[in-house]
Amino acid sequence: MSGNAAALALSQAIGAQAIGLQPGDAAPADAAPTWRDRLASLDLVPDLGDNIGSAEWWRGLATLTLLCGSAIATFPGMKPLQIGGAPVLDAADFNEARAQMIVPLAFGGDSGRHMAATDAVRPLTSTPERPQIELTATLARGDSFARLLERSGVGRDEARLLADQVGSAVPLGDIAPGTRVNLVLGRRAARTMPRPVEALAMRARFDLRIEIERIDGRLVMRRIPIAVDTTPLRIRGRVGDSLYRAARAAGAPPEAIQAYLRVISKQISVGRDIRASDEFDIIVDYRRAETGESETGKLLYAGLIRDGKSKLSMLEWTKDGRRQWFEASGVGQQRGGMVRPTNGRVTSTYGMRRHPILGYRRMHSGIDFGGGYGAPIYAVTDGTVAMAGRNGGYGNYVRLNHGGGLGTGYGHMSRIAVRAGQRVSRGQVIGYIGSTGLSTGPHLHYELYRNGRAVNPSSVSFVTRAQLEGRELSAFRARIRTLTAIAPGAALKPIAPKQAETPMLGSLADVAAKRAEGSAP
């Protein structure tokens, strides 16, 4: 009446026969549903996520359980499928197939066709040996030259003879590990005897080659000197964005660049004081042989140039038996502060205390450092050994004089590693921790003296700086002028080849050819 409309589909209409009515009859208001109606309205698969615990939910669970049980009960199982395999070859077919294979040598390499021996084949009583053997042996670190020859098949007596011959030309200890020795071993009289050496060739030293050849039954040695250019290698270039990358691009070895940075960092700040327009000046020890090999040694000179003038000039020099870097003015690098005399912790400080053995209070004139028995004890700075030996309650005792009225003492050592009058450097081991003298356990008693009187070791910090004077300073500056006079890249100029003695053994082919010609009719 309000103008609403409803629409019904024919599929939603219930026929009169479904409710038991004849055409034209009215449906009763309280008609009971039939079993078909109940079965049609029964929902066997309800949503198990809804109305959990209700009768409808339990009916759905029962349906699910029944279906799963039925599926499991009727599962036929899985079995591998049987297929036909490759036919098995009999012995004849297998041998025929193997004859056409290529088997790797690592697995025997025994494929192919094999024929039986004929009547022309005669068995050998012994296998013939090679007339000569060419081999190369390498000297290992810690090895001896004679043992190297013995391992290569040379007899003991002949190996010692060869070692003596080589030792007469160059000390055997100077032969660098990794040196390659070329050998030619000749025919031996019996299998139980070692093969004789027919020829030997080696680079005994960077500037020396040695060749030994058997002539008329005697081993004759030849020394072949090799021309070597020892001009130091000088490398200069603009710093730019990175000093390290610029030096590497200029050809400087990484080890030399690292040493250069360590040296100049003691004088200036590499990050703040170096400009992109500055030039680095690196000179390293360099050797180059006429055969083409080269060796780069340690850093000799470190310089920095700014606006065409030298801003920094450092040269390594020996002063009082110790090598250190000096400025062009002759002033060495400053070394400040004492090093710890040992790595142990401090167990007793300077001042009054109750003595652990004597039992009364008295002055403790030093610092005690704990440590394991035998731990090393170091000199806190450079000095000279004034005393080294037994000293009453100190036990084994070392006293060092450092100049300027300063000295240090080290007590209760288990063993002393220096002698009186010896000069020691900062950080050098002078003894080992012990418990000698008046001591309750292994430790170091360390004292500091000023003008002969013990003072608190924590109150003094040593600063040392070497200074060159007189002739030593003149020689130092002359060395700087010599190095800086070298033109960059001068060490890379070609070396005039030297006329070598002939024949050279090289790969020992000459010796092999000579032996072959001598045995030919």
Side-chain angles (χ1 to χ4, degrees):
M1 296 190 53
S2 59
N4 294 332
L8 292 176
L10 291 177
S11 61
Q12 294 176 310
I14 300 176
Q17 289 81 4
I19 56 175
L21 298 176
Q22 295 297 326
D25 295 343
D30 54 349
T34 65
W35 65 272
R36 288 188 177 87
D37 297 334
R38 294 191 183 95
L39 182 62
S41 62
L42 182 62
D43 188 4
L44 296 178
V45 286
D47 184 5
L48 295 181
D50 190 19
N51 297 328
I52 298 175
S54 63
E56 184 181 10
W57 183 86
W58 284 107
R59 183 171 63 250
L61 181 62
T63 303
L64 177 63
T65 304
L66 180 63
L67 293 175
C68 291
S70 301
I72 294 173
T74 58
F75 180 64
M78 299 181 64
K79 296 181 181 180
L81 298 177
Q82 299 294 333
I83 59 175
V88 179
L89 300 178
D90 55 17
D93 293 338
F94 176 77
N95 291 333
E96 181 66 23
R98 186 172 177 79
Q100 302 177 29
M101 296 180 183
I102 299 178
V103 179
L105 293 178
F107 298 151
D110 55 351
S111 59
R113 296 187 179 277
H114 301 272
M115 299 182 64
T118 63
D119 295 339
V121 177
R122 296 289 184 269
L124 296 175
T125 56
S126 62
T127 305
E129 289 190 327
R130 296 173 58 183
Q132 65 182 21
I133 298 177
E134 298 183 24
L135 57 92
T136 300
T138 303
L139 182 65
R141 187 177 299 277
D143 200 1
S144 69
F145 190 75
R147 285 198 300 267
L148 177 142
L149 296 177
E150 291 179 24
R151 287 198 307 272
S152 301
V154 181
R156 177 176 299 179
D157 295 338
E158 193 168 42
R160 292 178 179 175
L161 176 62
L162 288 168
D164 292 340
Q165 280 188 301
V166 174
S168 64
V170 59
L172 297 179
D174 292 348
I175 302 177
T179 300
R180 299 168 65 87
V181 181
N182 297 324
L183 290 168
V184 173
L185 305 181
R187 190 188 300 274
R188 55 187 175 181
R191 289 180 177 270
T192 57
M193 298 176 61
R195 287 179 176 268
V197 175
E198 295 294 338
L200 179 149
M202 60 179 293
R203 184 75 168 267
R205 208 167 51 210
F206 192 73
D207 60 348
L208 179 65
R209 177 182 173 86
I210 291 179
E211 296 182 355
I212 299 177
E213 186 178 358
R214 187 178 296 275
I215 300 177
D216 297 332
R218 295 175 58 251
L219 291 173
V220 179
M221 182 177 67
R222 250 184 327 183
R223 300 177 180 86
I224 304 176
I226 300 174
V228 176
D229 181 17
T230 59
T231 303
L233 178 62
R234 186 178 188 184
I235 304 169
R236 286 183 57 177
R238 185 174 175 273
V239 172
D241 296 334
S242 170
L243 192 155
Y244 184 87
R245 289 198 295 267
R248 286 291 292 136
E255 297 82 3
I257 303 175
Q258 294 169 6
Y260 174 83
L261 292 174
R262 283 195 299 268
V263 171
I264 66 174
S265 63
K266 301 291 181 63
Q267 306 297 320
I268 60 176
S269 173
V270 177
R272 296 191 307 268
D273 298 338
I274 297 181
R275 304 173 183 173
S277 59
D278 292 344
E279 295 183 10
F280 57 85
D281 194 356
I282 301 174
I283 301 179
V284 296
D285 192 13
Y286 190 72
R287 297 197 303 167
R288 189 162 51 99
E290 63 172 326
T291 51
E293 299 87 356
S294 63
E295 287 183 350
T296 302
K298 62 180 181 178
L299 180 69
L300 300 178
Y301 174 85
L304 188 68
I305 302 172
R306 178 171 295 171
D307 299 330
K309 298 180 180 180
S310 177
K311 175 177 175 57
L312 185 64
S313 182
M314 301 291 294
L315 177 68
E316 191 177 24
W317 196 258
T318 302
K319 173 69 173 177
D320 296 330
R322 183 169 58 86
R323 293 192 67 83
Q324 59 178 304
W325 286 87
F326 288 82
E327 300 174 4
S329 60
V331 178
Q333 291 177 319
Q334 177 175 313
R335 305 171 67 192
M338 297 182 299
V339 299
R340 289 177 66 91
T342 188
N343 295 327
R345 63 183 180 88
V346 175
T347 57
S348 182
T349 59
Y350 177 87
M352 295 296 295
R353 70 165 189 176
R354 183 180 180 85
H355 196 280
I357 295 178
L358 301 179
Y360 58 86
R361 288 177 60 82
R362 74 172 193 174
M363 185 66 181
H364 185 235
S365 58
I367 297 177
D368 290 345
F369 292 88
Y373 190 90
I377 300 172
Y378 309 102
V380 295
T381 191
D382 301 345
T384 304
V385 180
M387 177 184 177
R390 197 79 179 183
N391 186 19
Y394 290 101
N396 292 332
Y397 176 81
V398 171
R399 180 163 178 166
L400 304 179
N401 287 338
H402 305 289
L406 294 176
T408 52
Y410 312 80
H412 307 309
M413 292 185 179
S414 62
R415 184 161 59 91
I416 298 174
V418 292
R419 64 183 182 277
Q422 178 181 344
R423 184 168 183 83
V424 296
S425 58
R426 182 186 190 210
Q428 179 178 337
V429 176
I430 60 175
Y432 302 90
I433 286 181
S435 186
T436 56
L438 291 177
S439 172
T440 59
H443 72 284
L444 167 67
H445 176 76
Y446 167 67
E447 293 184 352
L448 176 66
Y449 306 100
R450 176 178 287 156
N451 298 324
R453 295 175 59 89
V455 297
N456 188 353
S458 302
S459 64
V460 176
S461 178
F462 291 104
V463 176
T464 60
R465 191 162 201 165
Q467 174 71 51
L468 300 178
E469 298 176 349
R471 294 183 179 178
E472 194 173 24
L473 179 59
S474 299
F476 172 79
R477 289 177 174 172
R479 176 61 174 167
I480 290 183
R481 288 194 296 270
T482 302
L483 290 176
T484 54
I486 299 173
L492 303 179
K493 293 182 179 179
I495 302 175
K498 181 180 177 181
Q499 185 65 31
E501 300 180 20
T502 56
M504 291 188 64
L505 299 186
S507 63
L508 303 184
D510 296 333
V511 176
K514 185 187 301 183
R515 295 291 182 269
E517 292 175 0
S519 60

